[in-house]
Amino acid sequence: MKDCLFCRIIRGEIPSQKVYEDDEILAFHDVNPARPVHFLIVPKEHIASLADVNMSHQDVLGRMLVKANELALGQGLSEGFRAVINTGRIGGQEVYHLHVHILGGPEPVGPMLTRLAS
Ligand code: 5GP
Ligand code: ZN
């Protein structure tokens, strides 16, 4: 998609620090890391969000998750990591090109979300 930020990164119009690339997916470091290791895995096909997927996307979605552990290990995350897919307004998505965040480092990444007061 012409003006999509991550499509522009995929086309090489905006530089990124690549972690991995094949014909279907690209992984690159987040420009504003939330943990010592923070990279994103994106499909090369423009899919706006997880709310826009259908069964035609199952292969590329599977590839993104299957690659996640291998790429995390390559970044030194042998003791684990967190994978996050923010989706839509409620999910806090900022860039509308589907991406999986992979987050980790030497220390635990912390609680998933703060629980609402009951
Ligand atoms: P979201 O909130 O949509 O799940 O996450 C978008 C992520 O993209 C954020 O963590 C943000 O730091 C990252 N990001 C935004 N612009 C750029 C960019 O130009 N390059 C890279 N590498 N990451 C970006
Ligand atoms: Zn895109």
Side-chain angles (χ1 to χ4, degrees):
M1 197 191 241
K2 190 169 169 287
D3 295 327
C4 167
L5 178 63
F6 287 174
C7 283
R8 296 191 67 197
I9 287 176
I10 290 161
R11 291 196 297 266
E13 295 169 10
I14 295 173
S16 69
Q17 234 188 304
K18 277 183 202 173
V19 172
Y20 174 78
E21 181 170 21
D22 64 27
D23 53 344
E24 288 190 77
I25 65 174
L26 175 69
F28 54 94
H29 290 283
D30 196 292
V31 76
N32 185 21
R35 288 295 180 275
V37 177
H38 183 178
F39 64 92
L40 307 172
I41 308 175
V42 306
K44 285 193 170 177
E45 175 189 351
H46 179 84
I47 305 167
S49 90
L50 197 59
D52 296 288
V53 304
N54 57 53
M55 289 308 287
S56 78
H57 301 119
Q58 64 178 325
D59 286 352
V60 70
L61 291 173
R63 181 181 291 244
M64 288 163 67
L65 288 186
V66 169
K67 275 284 169 191
N69 186 53
E70 180 190 317
L71 301 182
L73 288 175
Q75 296 298 313
L77 306 182
S78 57
E79 292 186 81
F81 56 89
R82 181 163 299 158
V84 174
I85 305 177
N86 295 323
T87 304
R89 180 178 71 85
I90 300 297
Q93 185 174 1
E94 290 174 3
V95 177
Y96 277 78
H97 181 123
L98 175 62
H99 50 282
V100 182
H101 295 256
I102 304 294
L103 299 138
E107 304 298 330
V109 296
M112 189 170 70
L113 288 173
T114 307
R115 297 203 185 274
L116 297 172
S118 50

